[in-house]
Amino acid sequence: MEKSSKIYVAGHRGLVGSAIVKNLEKKGYNNIIYKTHHQLDLTDMQAVAEFFEEQKPEYVFLAAAKVGGIVANNTYRAEFIYENLQIQNNIIHQSYKHEVKKLMFLGSTCIYPKNAPQPMKEEYLLTDTLEYTNEPYAIAKIAGIKMCESYNLQYGTNFISVMPTNLYGPHDNFDLEKSHVLPALIRKIHLAKLLYENDHDSVIKDLGVETIDEAKKYLQKFGVSKESVEIWGSGKPRREFLWSEDMADATVFIMENIDFKDTYAKDEKEIRNTHINIGTGVDISIEELAKSIQKTIGYEGKLYFNTQKPDGTMIKLTDPSKLHSLGWKHKVELKDGIDQMYQWYLKQNES
């Protein structure tokens, strides 16, 4: 990519897209284009076609997606498969039609089987059954990988798929119902600390309600009180977390240096599993994570693990060897990332 290349970042307001835009700008790219959902509905085939015809981007980062945690994935199953398929089908196909030089499709490590060997290598894709709670989302992402591979093989495009592990960082979703585990824990434990300290004004401001009684009643639904914070499951599942700005650096590095032909061995008769894991190769239990966040925030109440709630996949760790061999490795360790993310959250609440 040249510094003046026209680069389209789909999903620029989200955790992933905003980090990519920040990284591109930091590296001197000065012709970045994007549209809000209000300006461009990516599920609308005609609207996306008109956008590509008008703007003619040279490079595309496909970071737009409908995302959520275990509750949202399991509750809104139809929306997760339909919207994600529509978004990626429209953007990938229009990128082919308008001769985009390179596209990057961002997926998720939930594409791997529920009982995949650990750590998960790219070759484990489609070898067993998926985790049920996020199966619709995972199938959409697998379809995106195969769409990129298929267009490359049939049309000679240069579309690359990357599968980031669990991400966290600035602009994350802190919604108590729909967020992923790490931001949800930060907000729940932060609110519990405010209740513990009787800082009712801050609780009311954070939740945007009228009274502390209203706030407490709402927080009861999520197991948050001054005395304790409820966490779904046993706390035993292990998860890997990657700082979103590290992920963005990896994606830009790949776009700058790697082509589709570099993602598979030259002697392969069947070209598949060309996607690239983006992760740290290090995991932590949910219990350890919660205690680390509790220590960072300074909450003195108790953590309660509700074993009546589902754990999800017990272990989900990526093998980032392929990415390491291509020349990139993460920089931000989890402890430092949690502190930076909490400070970011506090600043948002000050405004």
Side-chain angles (χ1 to χ4, degrees):
M1 294 189 296
E2 303 295 329
K3 299 304 181 185
S4 60
S5 296
K6 199 168 196 178
I7 303 170
Y8 171 44
V9 180
H12 73 284
R13 282 184 165 179
L15 172 66
V16 174
S18 62
I20 290 173
V21 170
K22 182 178 178 180
N23 187 276
L24 287 168
E25 290 176 341
K26 184 178 179 181
K27 290 179 176 175
Y29 292 97
N30 54 38
N31 195 7
I32 306 168
I33 56 173
Y34 36 76
K35 296 282 186 180
T36 64
H37 175 71
H38 178 72
Q39 294 171 319
L40 176 61
D41 180 359
L42 295 175
T43 67
D44 184 331
M45 181 173 63
Q46 185 61 36
V48 175
E50 290 173 358
F51 167 77
F52 271 80
E53 179 63 33
E54 177 187 336
Q55 295 293 334
K56 293 183 171 55
E58 299 172 80
Y59 297 89
V60 172
F61 287 86
L62 177 38
K66 182 176 181 64
V67 297
I70 186 171
V71 178
N73 271 280
N74 199 29
T75 304
Y76 307 108
R77 299 175 73 87
E79 293 173 37
F80 271 84
I81 193 166
Y82 174 77
E83 292 186 26
N84 283 301
L85 283 172
Q86 288 290 96
I87 290 168
Q88 61 203 40
N89 287 350
N90 290 338
I91 293 178
I92 293 170
H93 186 64
Q94 292 303 323
S95 292
Y96 152 66
K97 287 190 69 176
H98 292 87
E99 300 182 346
V100 165
K101 294 177 181 177
K102 191 184 294 188
L103 172 143
M104 174 169 288
F105 171 66
L106 289 103
S108 164
T109 53
C110 71
I111 61 166
Y112 292 112
K114 178 178 181 178
N115 298 314
Q118 301 294 317
M120 299 179 294
K121 299 177 181 291
E122 287 84 356
E123 65 201 59
Y124 298 158
L125 179 65
L126 294 175
T127 57
D128 205 342
T129 307
L130 298 165
E131 160 61 36
Y132 178 76
T133 57
N134 62 9
E135 184 180 68
Y137 177 78
I139 287 176
K141 290 302 179 181
I142 293 169
I145 294 172
K146 293 306 175 184
M147 191 170 182
C148 287
E149 284 181 358
S150 300
Y151 274 55
N152 290 340
L153 295 173
Q154 182 172 346
Y155 299 131
T157 50
N158 195 9
F159 299 165
I160 300 175
S161 299
V162 296
M163 300 298 119
T165 188
N166 301 295
L167 300 173
Y168 70 105
H171 302 284
D172 211 333
N173 176 12
F174 287 85
D175 184 283
L176 291 176
E177 180 183 355
K178 299 178 181 179
S179 60
H180 288 108
V181 61
L182 198 152
L185 285 174
I186 286 178
R187 192 175 185 201
K188 287 170 73 171
I189 293 173
H190 170 69
L191 286 165
K193 178 192 178 188
L194 295 179
L195 290 172
Y196 188 89
E197 296 173 345
N198 293 315
D199 187 353
H200 293 169
D201 289 343
S202 294
V203 175
I204 290 169
K205 180 182 178 183
D206 184 290
L207 294 174
V209 296
E210 297 294 328
T211 67
I212 189 61
D213 287 339
E214 185 183 353
K216 288 180 178 178
K217 184 177 180 180
Y218 177 72
L219 289 173
Q220 280 179 356
K221 295 195 304 181
F222 304 100
V224 176
S225 68
K226 65 186 299 181
E227 294 87 9
S228 65
V229 173
E230 179 189 59
I231 300 168
W232 276 31
S234 65
K236 294 178 181 178
R238 301 186 68 83
R239 291 293 180 269
E240 173 187 17
F241 296 95
L242 177 68
W243 183 240
S244 60
E245 294 179 352
D246 267 353
M247 175 280 309
D249 191 65
T251 61
V252 175
F253 170 84
I254 292 168
M255 282 288 267
E256 290 176 329
N257 299 285
I258 308 301
D259 293 314
F260 176 67
K261 62 180 175 57
D262 302 317
T263 63
Y264 58 91
K266 302 302 174 284
D267 57 352
E268 288 184 11
K269 293 182 179 179
E270 296 183 349
I271 297 173
R272 61 178 77 212
N273 301 327
T274 58
H275 58 286
I276 303 168
N277 289 337
I278 300 181
T280 65
V282 179
D283 64 3
I284 184 173
S285 75
I286 298 301
E287 182 177 4
E288 292 169 323
L289 174 68
K291 288 180 177 178
S292 179
I293 291 171
Q294 181 183 26
K295 183 176 180 181
T296 296
I297 291 175
Y299 172 56
E300 297 182 17
K302 295 181 179 180
L303 302 179
Y304 162 62
F305 292 89
N306 186 347
T307 56
Q308 301 303 310
K309 300 294 185 178
D311 270 330
T313 306
M314 291 305 293
I315 302 176
K316 198 170 78 166
L317 177 66
T318 64
D319 182 340
S321 301
K322 186 174 182 178
L323 180 58
H324 291 172
S325 71
L326 294 171
W328 187 91
K329 191 175 186 301
H330 77 282
K331 301 177 182 66
V332 178
E333 300 299 340
L334 182 59
K335 183 178 180 299
D336 295 330
I338 289 172
D339 182 63
Q340 290 182 56
M341 188 168 174
Y342 183 50
Q343 295 305 317
W344 182 88
Y345 180 75
L346 292 177
K347 283 186 178 180
Q348 304 314 300
N349 281 356
E350 290 173 2
S351 58

